């Protein structure tokens, strides 16, 4: 079942949903990256919750005017308008009052959401409201998705991705260094507006599949996951798009092969699984890699200090140092150096002296800044420079 | 018209002419934070092809003056012109180096990526980043002695190295006016020397350098001119004219006695 779902062989509706979800995941991942880098991830939650009254009002307006209230494009336009209002409210509260952004987000989010819920209840009591299915916008509802709906999501997602590509440089500038961006001619307000506009686009497009409560997960989790895998913003964007699309694809397939399970929440859970795996196993920033690096560095420092102590005939008290030295065959368990230990100790002491001279030499000071207690000076300086240092070690010191 | 009037008109005309030539001319700049003045009615005309230090005690409004002149902070009153025109027409001629601590260094970027940001404004939205751009990034890193670090993640740099990366980014902008906010704050001695060498090179190329500076002892050695601030302007001019005991006393009040003004290489 799952294999059929993953390869789009599970019927028309399931295929539409999966394709729509993958494009949505891609768009949300790349857009969310800049939201995350700009440290404004939670604004998306306010935007998402602020869509609800728009959906309700659009439905009521359509019905009163005699149209079908379930027209998706019209509902999405309504949701976009009220999302803009919500975003504006957050911006205004932050800029004009002493409220911080998190407080403004909390206030706007809950007020708009409450108003939306009231409207949905009112709609329930209307004649045509009973079968409206607007609650589907809360957590997404993919049953009965039409081709036109999928096409709308696909087109919206494609536009969002194209705009992210177009604005990637100014968005990176503003996210990293707003002051520099402003002086070099990038309008902060305009670029922030672009970022928020894109977030709103993703939110509106994603209402049908994941719903307004969970869309924030698709905007935040894939970029955070991607950050574990790359140290360059341009790659983080790409990885976030891939992780978003992958989560959506697997999540939609899972829900298609087990029809009682909801699509949106499954997509979010899959993206969390990717996040958890990345957090543990990613090279570089992952937990295992960090722990390993820490241990390796600790070992290096202990051995170095042990060797320096051996070279200068000082006793070693630290049990870990002794253990590491004897395991490496550099010293006996009682702290007496072996033959290879003596040679290594002499080398370590010479290295340390060379670094010391390098630090005191104006021309070499820049290179000497790379001293970390482990890096060998041969890896930083040229043989000529080292010869010069050795000449000095033998020179002035002997006179003194 | 009386001679006094004529003199006034002449002085004003001279001031305007000076402003038109000046890389950065500030008029009546006033900034308030929460109804407290941070910068009050400051006039300053910086001279082309020279290095100027903006000095003053903590909270004197040094950084704020710079930020207001650059439009990063909105002034309550006052204006700044860059080479005789408003900032919006002259962005391509200035490079700003913010305080190192003003950004998050855990941002996903390598050293070369940050320097490349200096080229973004000229690249625009659609310009392609070519081999020539890469070569320029490399060259700018070499000028600050950081070419070996091009592929380092910026979070792994020391404070001094971060400062040099910021300077390299400014070099990539190929500006005529360089504005630096505390470029020597918390950097190692080697970096301080590397930075001052680059700034002196810029000056010898005819560029103008303005830096917010906090170490009074190096002012005469590093800079040609000073602007001494303490919310209001205290003095302005060449180091010989303006960097005096009286001016420093006026700006720092009694606070400088701890450091010992007597030891400072001030002008008589």
């Amino acid at each position: 079942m799952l294999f059929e779902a993953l390869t789009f062989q599970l019927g028309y509706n399931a295929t539409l949903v999966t394709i729509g979800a993958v494009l949505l995941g891609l768009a949300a991942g790349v857009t969310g990256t800049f939201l995350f880098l700009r440290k404004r991830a939670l604004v998306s939650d306010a935007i998402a919750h602020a869509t609800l009254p728009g959906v309700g009002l659009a439905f009521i307006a359509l019905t009163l005017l005699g149209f079908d209230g379930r027209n998706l494009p019209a509902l999405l336009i309504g949701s976009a308008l009220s999302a803009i209002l919500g975003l504006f409210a957050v911006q205004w509260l932050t800029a004009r009052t002493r409220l911080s952004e998190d407080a403004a987000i909390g206030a706007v989010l809950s007020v708009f959401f409450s108003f939306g819920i009231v409207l949905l209840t009112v709609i329930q009591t209307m004649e045509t409201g009973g079968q409206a299915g607007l609650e589907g916008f809360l957590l997404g509802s993919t049953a009965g998705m039409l081709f036109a709906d999928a096409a709308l999501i696909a087109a919206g997602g494609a536009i969002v991705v194209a705009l992210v590509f177009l604005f990637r440089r100014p968005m990176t500038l503003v996210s990293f260094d707003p002051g520099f961006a402003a002086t070099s001619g990038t309008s902060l307000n305009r670029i922030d507006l672009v970022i928020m506009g894109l977030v709103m686009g993703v939110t509106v497009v994603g209402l049908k599949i994941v719903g307004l409560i969970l869309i924030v997960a698709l905007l935040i989790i894939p970029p955070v996951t991607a950050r574990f895998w790359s140290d360059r913003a341009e790659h983080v964007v790409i990885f976030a798009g891939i992780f978003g699309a992958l989560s959506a694809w697997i999540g939609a397939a899972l829900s298609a092969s087990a029809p009682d399970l909801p699509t949106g929440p499954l997509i979010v859970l899959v993206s969390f699984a990717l996040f958890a795996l990345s957090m543990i196993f990613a090279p570089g920033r992952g937990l295992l890699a960090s722990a390993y690096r820490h241990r390796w560095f600790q070992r290096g420092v202990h051995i170095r200090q042990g060797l320096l102590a051996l070279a200068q005939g000082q006793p070693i008290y630290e049990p870990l140092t002794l253990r590491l030295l004897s395991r490496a065959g550099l010293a006996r368990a009682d702290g007496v150096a072996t033959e290879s230990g003596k040679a290594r100790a002499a080398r370590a002491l010479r290295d340390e002296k060379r670094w010391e001279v390098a630090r005191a030499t104006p021309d070499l000071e820049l290179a000497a800044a790379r001293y970390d207690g482990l890096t060998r000076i041969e890896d930083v300086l040229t043989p000529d420079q080292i010869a010069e240092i050795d000449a000095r070690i033998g020179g002035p010191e002997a006179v003194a | 018209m009386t001679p006094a009037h004529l003199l006034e008109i002449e002085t004003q005309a001279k001031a305007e002419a000076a402003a038109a030539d000046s890389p950065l001319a500030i008029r009546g700049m006033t900034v308030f934070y929460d109804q407290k003045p941070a910068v009050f009615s400051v006039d300053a005309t910086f001279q082309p092809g020279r290095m100027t230090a903006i000095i003053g005690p903590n909270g004197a409004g040094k950084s704020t003056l710079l930020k207001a002149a650059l439009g990063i902070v909105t002034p309550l009153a006052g204006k700044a012109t860059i080479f005789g025109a408003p900032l919006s027409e002259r962005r391509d001629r200035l490079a700003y180096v913010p305080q190192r601590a003003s950004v998050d260094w855990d941002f996903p970027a390598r050293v070369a990526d940050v320097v490349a940001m200096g080229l973004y404004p000229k690249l625009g939205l659609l310009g392609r980043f070519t081999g020539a751009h890469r070569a320029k990034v490399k060259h700018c890193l070499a000028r600050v002695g950081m070419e070996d670090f091009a592929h380092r993640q910026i979070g792994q740099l020391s404070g001094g190295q971060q400062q040099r990366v910021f300077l390299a980014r400014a070099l990539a902008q190929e500006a005529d006016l360089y504005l630096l906010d505390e470029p020597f704050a918390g950097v190692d001695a080697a970096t301080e020397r590397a930075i001052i060498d680059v700034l002196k090179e810029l000056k010898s190329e005819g560029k103008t350098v303005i830096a917010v500076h906090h170490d009074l002892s190096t002012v005469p050695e590093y800079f040609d001119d000073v602007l001494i601030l303490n919310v209001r302007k205290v003095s302005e001019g060449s180091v010989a004219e303006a960097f005096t005991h009286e001016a420093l006393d006026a700006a720092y009040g009694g606070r400088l006695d701890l450091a010992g003004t007597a030891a400072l290489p001030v002008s008589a």
Side-chain angles (χ1 to χ4, degrees):
Chain A
M1 265 299 251
L2 182 59
F3 177 76
E4 278 83 13
L6 286 170
T7 48
F8 307 104
Q9 292 168 23
L10 217 63
Y12 184 65
N13 181 264
T15 304
L16 277 186
V17 170
T18 309
I19 292 176
V22 167
L23 285 163
L24 173 69
L26 175 71
V30 297
T31 304
T33 302
F34 290 102
L35 201 61
F36 159 63
L37 292 179
R38 186 89 174 94
K39 300 192 194 304
R40 298 188 68 191
L42 275 185
V43 178
S44 64
D45 213 15
I47 293 178
H49 282 77
T51 57
L52 193 57
V55 173
L57 288 173
F59 181 88
I60 293 172
L62 286 169
T63 314
L64 291 179
L65 292 170
F67 296 104
D68 178 8
R70 284 169 301 177
N71 181 304
L72 186 61
L75 293 178
L76 294 190
I77 290 171
S79 72
L81 290 178
S82 76
I84 291 172
L85 203 62
L87 177 60
F88 178 77
V90 171
Q91 307 269 46
W92 188 87
L93 285 172
T94 312
R96 300 276 170 227
T97 72
R98 285 167 163 272
L99 280 187
S100 59
E101 192 172 55
D102 57 339
I105 288 170
V108 168
L109 178 154
S110 46
V111 169
F112 273 73
F113 189 65
S114 303
F115 184 45
I117 294 292
V118 169
L119 286 176
L120 289 197
T121 317
V122 170
I123 289 168
Q124 287 288 334
T125 65
M126 289 168 62
E127 260 172 66
T128 53
Q131 69 277 29
L134 292 188
E135 323 75 63
F137 284 101
L138 294 180
L139 292 167
S141 82
T142 50
M145 191 151 100
L146 305 173
F147 178 78
D149 301 346
L152 188 70
I153 293 166
I159 292 172
V160 166
V161 171
L163 287 174
V164 169
F165 179 76
L166 184 65
F167 286 101
R168 68 195 188 283
R169 283 181 195 140
M171 290 196 297
T172 309
L173 264 190
V174 166
S175 303
F176 174 59
D177 191 345
F180 174 82
T183 57
S184 64
T186 307
S187 159
L188 287 189
N189 286 335
R190 225 171 289 163
I191 294 305
D192 272 338
L193 205 65
V194 169
I195 297 178
M196 292 308 152
L198 289 170
V199 168
M200 204 184 64
V202 168
T203 307
V204 166
V205 163
L207 284 181
K208 179 81 185 160
I209 296 181
V210 295
L212 63 91
I213 294 178
L214 291 179
I215 188 71
V216 60
L218 275 192
L219 283 162
I220 296 174
I221 299 177
V224 176
T225 308
R227 183 68 184 88
F228 281 111
W229 295 92
S230 174
D231 275 335
R232 301 187 67 190
E234 48 199 275
H235 295 166
V236 174
V237 178
I238 295 168
F239 282 129
I242 293 172
F243 285 131
L246 194 64
S247 315
W249 181 44
I250 299 173
L254 280 173
S255 113
S257 48
D260 288 339
L261 293 180
T263 313
L266 277 179
I267 293 176
V268 174
L269 288 180
V270 172
S271 74
F272 171 74
L274 291 176
F275 165 79
L277 289 175
S278 303
M279 182 176 70
I280 297 168
F281 296 109
R285 292 175 77 90
L287 291 178
L288 285 182
S290 312
Y292 174 77
R293 233 184 359 258
H294 177 74
R295 287 298 291 273
W296 185 85
F297 188 78
Q298 188 184 34
R299 177 180 175 275
V301 170
H302 273 276
I303 288 190
R304 173 78 169 203
Q305 287 176 344
L307 287 174
L308 288 176
L310 289 180
Q312 292 161 323
Q314 294 159 352
I316 300 169
Y317 297 113
E318 176 84 31
L320 178 62
T321 310
L322 267 181
R323 215 163 46 238
L324 287 169
L325 282 176
S326 73
R327 213 182 298 160
L330 298 171
R332 298 195 325 233
D334 59 2
V336 176
T338 61
E339 280 312 307
S340 71
K342 278 181 196 154
R344 279 277 298 278
R347 246 181 296 153
L349 187 64
R350 192 180 49 183
D351 192 56
E352 199 70 18
K353 277 214 174 110
R354 283 168 167 175
W355 276 111
E356 214 170 277
V357 174
R359 266 199 299 278
T361 309
D363 290 343
L364 301 177
E365 209 172 358
L366 271 180
R370 299 210 13 211
Y371 174 81
D372 58 8
L374 291 182
T375 310
R376 293 182 318 154
I377 202 161
E378 286 95 332
D379 299 337
V380 176
L381 298 182
T382 62
D384 287 352
Q385 288 171 319
I386 292 175
E388 205 178 298
I389 289 175
D390 285 346
R392 287 221 208 168
I393 292 176
E397 261 195 358
V399 176
Chain B
M1 284 217 210
T2 64
H5 274 118
L6 283 172
L7 192 67
E8 199 175 298
I9 290 168
E10 199 186 315
T11 319
Q12 208 173 349
K14 264 188 192 159
E16 266 164 35
D21 287 340
S22 169
L24 175 62
I26 294 172
R27 291 286 164 268
M29 192 60 82
T30 304
V31 183
F32 275 69
Y33 288 139
D34 280 338
Q35 314 198 341
K36 269 186 65 184
V39 171
F40 197 88
S41 195
V42 170
D43 291 330
T45 309
F46 296 88
Q47 302 304 318
R50 293 172 73 85
M51 291 174 61
T52 307
I54 301 178
I55 57 175
N58 288 333
K62 309 181 289 285
S63 298
T64 304
L65 179 71
L66 216 53
K67 286 182 186 160
L70 291 171
I72 300 172
V73 167
T74 312
L76 201 68
K79 65 165 191 162
T81 54
I82 289 168
F83 296 105
L87 171 69
S88 54
E89 294 167 30
R90 292 282 189 266
R91 290 193 192 282
D92 53 333
R93 292 187 66 183
L94 82 92
Y96 169 57
V97 180
Q99 283 184 20
R100 190 159 49 80
S102 67
V103 307
D104 173 12
W105 289 90
D106 193 41
F107 191 86
R110 301 179 315 173
V111 166
D113 299 330
V114 173
V115 179
M117 288 179 192
L119 301 169
Y120 282 3
K122 277 178 191 144
L123 272 172
L125 289 184
L126 294 168
R128 246 168 52 81
F129 196 81
T130 63
H133 293 113
R134 254 183 292 278
K136 184 171 283 170
V137 166
K138 216 173 146 192
H139 173 72
C140 293
L141 277 173
R143 280 185 77 176
V144 299
M146 289 284 289
E147 66 270 45
D148 293 343
F149 291 80
H151 298 289
R152 271 294 169 95
Q153 153 70 18
I154 54 172
Q156 297 170 357
L157 302 178
S158 71
Q161 290 165 342
Q162 290 172 349
Q163 192 66 58
R164 278 185 277 157
V165 171
F166 262 12
L167 182 59
R169 179 179 66 178
L171 292 175
Q173 289 179 280
E174 298 189 316
D176 298 313
L177 168 62
Y178 287 80
L179 298 158
L180 302 95
D181 198 347
E182 300 263 12
F184 304 114
V187 304
D188 52 288
T191 295
E192 180 153 340
R193 220 159 19 239
I195 291 176
I196 199 67
D197 286 348
V198 170
L199 296 183
K200 289 194 163 155
E201 259 171 58
L202 288 172
K203 184 184 126 182
S204 71
E205 294 163 16
K207 320 272 191 191
T208 307
V209 176
I210 300 170
V212 172
H213 192 57
H214 64 284
D215 180 7
L216 296 180
S217 68
T218 51
V219 168
E221 186 192 338
Y222 291 172
F223 295 94
D224 308 312
D225 296 342
V226 286
L227 169 65
I228 305 182
L229 276 188
N230 189 0
V231 182
R232 290 169 170 77
K233 179 171 81 181
V234 175
S235 80
E236 178 188 16
S238 68
V239 168
E241 292 162 10
F243 191 62
T244 59
H245 276 297
E246 295 79 63
L248 289 173
D249 272 346
Y252 288 80
R255 274 171 291 178
L256 209 58
D257 285 349
L258 288 169
T261 23
L264 285 173
V266 298
S267 315

